[in-house]
């Protein structure tokens, strides 16, 4: 571990256009469960599988049940940034990290101080009325019960998160692709690289410092220049800026 950490430190010191691409594992150390681990959402028992509940079809047909699950299992208003979020913000402030590309919807990168964040799957902090497009924050969603309705027009309020069956935001994807293609170092952390099209973004990296930091193996381990199978917060927390 020490030798790999030294290599990571050396590459970070040498690089000037680092991009970080992260998934659910980045936030597990903040107390937010991931989906695919042994105790993740996909291994818990519900009347419907999480993939079904978090789909566009289910949202439209079973809106009340969707919100019962959403408030109970997807919102963590008390979660705080961990060592990984804080170190990435520090690297950005030092001018070394150019972008964070995240599959997470918790807003913890911004809470830590990161500015240039591309949220591939949206954010729980943004919610909008499907009728008049008025925006509402997380506090509004937490306070209500049942199906949230717009106080202005009575329309249905939907989280600005990408559900199954929905397309990723094209502008966000294009910005993420551009950042990764220009990076001189790509650090991937806390993701199984199993969810597409997000996982396919790795293909746009053209450098020779592809670093994977994840507790378990990923399909891209053989292609990486450095693999560290440790918690992302533990690894990044040890980095000097």
């Amino acid at each position: 571990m020490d030798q790999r950490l030294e290599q990571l430190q050396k590459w970070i010191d040498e690089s000037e256009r680092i991009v970080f691409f992260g998934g659910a594992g980045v936030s597990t150390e903040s107390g937010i469960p991931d989906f695919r681990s042994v105790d993740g959402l996909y291994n818990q028992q519900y009347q419907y599988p999480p993939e079904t509940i978090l789909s566009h079809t289910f949202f439209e047909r079973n809106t009340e049940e969707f919100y019962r699950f959403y408030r109970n299992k997807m919102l963590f208003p008390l979660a705080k940034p961990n060592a990984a979020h804080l170190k990435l913000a520090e690297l950005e402030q030092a001018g070394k990290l150019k972008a964070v590309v995240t599959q997470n919807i918790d807003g913890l990168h911004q809470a830590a101080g990161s500015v240039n964040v591309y949220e591939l799957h949206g954010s729980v902090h943004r919610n909008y009325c499907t009728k008049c497009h008025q925006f509402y924050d997380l506090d509004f969603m937490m306070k209500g019960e049942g199906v949230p309705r717009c106080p202005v027009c009575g329309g249905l309020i939907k989280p600005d998160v990408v559900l199954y069956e929905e397309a990723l935001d094209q502008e966000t994807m294009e910005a993420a692709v551009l950042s990764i293609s220009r990076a001189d170092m790509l650090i991937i952390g806390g993701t199984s690289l199993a969810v597409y099209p997000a996982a396919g973004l790795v293909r746009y990296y053209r450098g020779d410092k592809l670093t994977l930091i994840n507790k378990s193996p990923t399909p891209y381990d053989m292609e990486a220049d450095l693999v560290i199978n440790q918690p992302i917060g533990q690894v990044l927390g040890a980095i000097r800026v």
Side-chain angles (χ1 to χ4, degrees):
M1 174 63 184
D2 289 344
Q3 188 175 359
R4 283 172 290 172
L5 193 59
E6 286 175 11
Q7 182 67 69
L8 176 62
Q9 181 72 63
K10 181 175 183 291
W11 283 353
I12 288 175
D13 291 342
E14 295 171 350
S15 302
E16 297 179 350
R17 297 188 311 279
I18 303 170
V19 171
F20 178 81
F21 175 43
V26 178
S27 293
T28 51
E29 290 168 73
S30 293
I32 298 178
D34 65 5
F35 275 48
R36 290 176 172 79
S37 66
V38 174
D39 56 351
L41 281 181
Y42 285 169
N43 292 296
Q44 298 180 28
Q45 297 299 314
Y46 295 98
Q47 188 176 354
Y48 303 94
E51 300 103 316
T52 300
I53 299 174
L54 296 174
S55 69
H56 182 82
T57 299
F58 193 92
F59 174 78
E60 291 197 324
R61 295 179 181 175
N62 302 275
T63 313
E64 191 163 351
E65 181 66 13
F66 169 89
Y67 272 109
R68 191 171 71 84
F69 177 90
Y70 180 76
R71 286 194 179 97
N72 189 32
K73 295 296 180 183
M74 304 300 292
L75 302 181
F76 297 87
L78 300 181
K80 302 295 182 187
N82 61 52
H85 300 106
L86 296 170
K87 188 65 66 174
L88 291 168
E90 193 178 346
L91 285 166
E92 182 181 15
Q93 288 156 12
K96 299 186 76 65
L97 184 79
K98 299 307 179 186
V100 169
V101 180
T102 180
Q103 299 174 82
N104 297 338
I105 58 176
D106 51 47
L108 290 180
H109 284 293
Q110 291 92 332
S114 290
V115 177
N116 199 26
V117 181
Y118 299 116
E119 297 171 308
L120 298 178
H121 297 154
S123 172
V124 298
H125 294 274
R126 299 188 301 269
N127 306 275
Y128 64 93
C129 172
T130 56
K131 189 175 179 181
C132 74
H133 306 295
Q134 178 78 23
F135 265 76
Y136 296 95
D137 61 13
L138 180 59
D139 287 340
F140 179 89
M141 301 297 281
M142 292 296 299
K143 288 174 184 173
E145 292 183 359
V147 178
R149 294 285 175 182
C150 176
V152 177
C153 74
L156 172 65
I157 296 175
K158 182 182 184 295
D160 189 17
V161 299
V162 180
L163 302 176
Y164 288 98
E165 304 169 347
E166 294 180 346
L168 273 62
D169 179 76
Q170 193 61 33
E171 284 187 23
T172 304
M173 278 290 285
E174 288 174 1
V177 166
L178 186 61
S179 294
I180 290 171
S181 67
R182 290 176 172 174
D184 57 5
M185 180 178 186
L186 178 62
I187 303 174
I188 300 174
T191 174
S192 60
L193 291 173
V195 178
Y196 285 83
L201 290 174
V202 183
R203 297 294 183 194
Y204 292 96
Y205 176 61
R206 300 184 176 94
D208 57 2
K209 297 185 181 73
L210 176 58
T211 302
L212 293 183
I213 307 171
N214 198 51
K215 288 197 289 186
S216 56
T218 80
Y220 285 84
D221 284 7
M222 294 298 291
E223 301 176 39
D225 302 297
L226 178 64
V227 177
I228 302 177
N229 294 130
Q230 296 289 336
I232 183 75
Q234 178 183 319
V235 175
L236 291 185
I239 292 297
R240 302 180 307 277
V241 178

